[in-house]
């Protein structure tokens, strides 16, 4: 297998790549729905909605609730979505690392990559305020030079801006970086930035195979990164 060449910076997605956060996201979504008097959903269902940021996750939950809420109109108003989002964020803020777990091999692999001299960064669509508490909660503090959330810039993945911003902030070229993630948003953002990418087959990708989006490498486990960069 060919290996990535001349890479100095590894850009990581967070949810579905480093952390299986779906259990806590689902719990907060269901607490939100209960507060609003709406039907709750199984964790596996909510898991399929994760990946485009908090607001989109809330909008998907509300959309699915329409089928079971006879009093709802065909669409929730922006004010109703904003209210639901505030409720969700309140619950989630209090329960970031309750049932969430690091995927197998994440911590040891990140530590090994850092020791080898690679610079690490996080680019996620999750609101920026949640990144550091989660990183700290899992004992990963100090590993990442840059942490960008979905609300850090005017655009989020699959737009290339976060990836290009990271290159500028870290003073490196696109060719020195590689995007690593579990979602089509990661791969599409990388392609739009003319950056190489690695797709992870686990995680959250809306029921699609990540290989459909043709990342440069496709891995089944996080630990497979080490042979590529050693």
């Amino acid at each position: 297998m060919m290996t990535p060449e001349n890479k100095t910076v590894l850009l990581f997605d967070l949810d579905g790549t480093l952390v299986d956060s779906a259990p806590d996201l689902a719990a907060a979504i269901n607490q939100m729905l209960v507060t609003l008097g709406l039907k709750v959903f199984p964790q596996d269902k909510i898991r399929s909605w994760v990946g485009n940021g908090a607001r989109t996750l809330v909008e998907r939950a509300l959309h699915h609730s329409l089928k079971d809420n006879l009093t709802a109109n065909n669409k929730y108003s922006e004010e109703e979505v904003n209210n639901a989002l505030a409720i969700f964020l309140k619950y989630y803020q209090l329960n970031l690392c309750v049932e969430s777990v690091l995927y197998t091999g994440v911590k040891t692999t990140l530590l090994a990559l850092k020791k080898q001299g690679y610079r690490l960064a996080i680019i996620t669509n999750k609101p920026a305020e949640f990144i550091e508490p989660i990183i700290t909660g899992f004992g990963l503090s100090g590993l990442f030079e840059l942490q960008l959330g979905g609300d850090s810039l005017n655009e989020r993945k699959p737009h290339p801006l976060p990836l290009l911003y990271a290159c500028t902030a870290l003073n490196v070229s696109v060719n020195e970086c590689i995007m690593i993630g579990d979602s089509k948003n990661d791969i599409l953002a990388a392609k739009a930035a003319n950056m190489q990418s690695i797709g992870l087959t686990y995680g959250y990708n809306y029921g699609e195979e990540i290989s459909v989006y043709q990342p440069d490498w496709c891995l089944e486990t996080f630990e497979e990164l080490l042979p590529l960069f050693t």
Side-chain angles (χ1 to χ4, degrees):
M1 175 189 290
M2 292 182 61
T3 58
E5 296 182 355
N6 305 316
K7 305 304 178 193
T8 62
V9 176
L10 311 182
L11 307 176
F12 293 96
D13 177 47
L14 183 58
D15 293 346
T17 296
L18 304 182
V19 180
D20 183 3
S21 54
D24 289 328
L25 288 169
I29 283 291
N30 278 334
Q31 286 176 310
M32 175 198 80
L33 292 170
V34 168
T35 301
L36 296 172
L38 301 174
K39 176 185 174 182
V40 300
F41 294 93
Q43 184 187 123
D44 285 348
K45 182 70 173 176
I46 297 173
R47 182 181 287 270
S48 70
W49 305 338
V50 175
N52 290 94
R55 187 180 186 87
T56 301
L57 176 59
V58 167
E59 288 174 338
R60 286 168 177 159
L62 293 177
H63 171 74
H64 282 81
S65 76
L66 283 174
K67 302 172 185 176
D68 303 290
N69 183 10
L70 299 179
T71 64
N73 296 321
N74 290 329
K75 185 178 181 182
Y76 284 98
S77 69
E78 184 174 356
E79 182 180 355
E80 288 172 317
V81 173
N82 288 339
N83 177 58
L85 177 60
I87 294 169
F88 164 73
L89 292 176
K90 179 186 72 173
Y91 283 127
Y92 187 52
Q93 179 74 61
L94 298 172
N95 299 280
L96 292 172
C97 300
V98 178
E99 294 185 41
S100 297
V101 294
L102 288 179
Y103 286 104
T104 301
V106 165
K107 188 170 184 176
T108 55
T109 300
L110 290 175
L111 288 170
L113 291 169
K114 186 78 170 179
K115 186 175 182 179
Q116 288 179 39
Y118 288 101
R119 303 169 69 188
L120 314 180
I122 287 178
I123 301 181
T124 175
N125 283 344
K126 180 190 277 312
E129 66 179 298
F130 298 131
I131 301 174
E132 188 57 38
I134 290 174
I135 293 305
T136 300
F138 287 113
L140 302 178
S141 295
L143 288 178
F144 303 98
E145 287 189 46
L146 180 68
Q147 297 173 177
L148 294 179
D151 53 357
S152 296
L153 305 169
N154 291 329
E155 300 287 352
R156 62 186 182 186
K157 301 175 297 183
H159 197 281
L161 178 62
L163 282 64
L164 297 175
Y165 177 90
C167 293
T168 300
L170 297 172
N171 194 29
V172 292
S173 69
V174 167
N175 289 336
E176 291 177 87
C177 301
I178 190 164
M179 183 70 218
I180 302 165
D182 64 297
S183 166
K184 64 182 180 182
N185 295 323
D186 304 307
I187 310 308
L188 293 174
K191 288 183 179 297
N194 199 29
M195 182 183 294
Q196 288 190 312
S197 64
I198 295 174
L200 299 167
T201 60
Y202 60 84
Y204 322 133
N205 193 37
Y206 320 106
E208 295 182 292
E209 296 289 338
I210 194 70
S211 59
V212 170
Y213 295 90
Q214 299 182 315
D216 295 279
W217 290 267
C218 220
L219 305 179
E220 294 184 3
T221 70
F222 196 83
E223 293 165 308
E224 290 176 69
L225 288 170
L226 272 181
L228 281 181
F229 294 100
T230 300

